[in-house]
Amino acid sequence: GENVEQHPSTLSVQEGDSAVIKCTYSDSASNYFPWYKQELGKRPQLIIDIRSNVGEKKDQRIAVTLNKTAKHFSLHITETQPEDSAVYFCAASLIQGAQKLVFGQGTRLTINP
Amino acid sequence: KAGVTQTPRYLIKTRGQQVTLSCSPISGHRSVSWYQQTPGQGLQFLFEYFSETQRNKGNFPGRFSGRQFSNSRSEMNVSTLELGDSALYLCASSFRSQGWGNEQFFGPGTRLTVL
């Protein structure tokens, strides 16, 4: 069935270092891959997304790469800052034109000063 | 533009009761999706409504239902509550276009506790 796996479940990095979170999806029909950041007690907020017709997208310190052949995509955060500490979720849209997102289990990212 | 709003923010119910949660999407957004968030299962899709019609449904029992009104506001209902229904219920609205997923904007959620 539809499934998105996310690794690692927890990640601790030193401030200024880079962080990488990886996800794999099961259905090759997936065409939209957003990443959400959720701070404690707050709603998930989109930080970056990528569509299946591109392989990489960057927005300042955040980048996402997509490998359709291997069915995996990754989030890269460079020059991490304390405010990057949060839970990050990857997701995949498995139906064309629909708004059903299947989420990974989340990664708790901690930035150590 | 006002964001997605959900009411109530907190609810405490007992087993066997039913509950109705409400979601008002961003103005102009016609799609509303509902998700359940728990520590154990993470974020799970419940259903999506678009133009007052349920377009997709996740793997939840029939006790979970929803509807959408002509102004795009949506409600979800859970009947015969069980302890395991305790969760944060999030709704998300989006513009929705053909062929591609669109950014979903989440509301603050309704924290449901079943005793």
Side-chain angles (χ1 to χ4, degrees), chain A residues 6 8 29 33-34 36 41 44 53 56 60-61 72-73 75 79 85 99 104 109:
Chain A
Q6 182 172 347
F33 308 91
Y36 284 85
N53 59 345
E56 185 173 1
Q60 300 182 333
R61 298 186 297 109
H72 68 69
F73 56 112
L75 176 71
E79 300 173 9
S85 295
Q99 306 307 299
L109 175 63

Side-chain angles (χ1 to χ4, degrees), chain A residues 7 17 25 28 30 41 44 48 56 59 66-68 72 80 91 93 97 99:
Chain A
H7 299 282
D17 288 350
Y25 58 98
S28 56
S30 299
I48 196 167
E56 185 173 1
D59 182 5
L66 171 65
N67 183 325
K68 285 191 294 183
H72 68 69
T80 53
S93 175
Q99 306 307 299

Side-chain angles (χ1 to χ4, degrees), chain B residues 65-83:
Chain B
S65 62
R67 60 177 176 169
Q68 187 179 36
F69 302 94
S70 59
N71 62 357
S72 296
R73 188 176 70 86
S74 177
E75 289 181 346
M76 69 164 281
N77 183 275
V78 188
S79 63
T80 319
L81 284 166
E82 301 177 359
L83 294 178

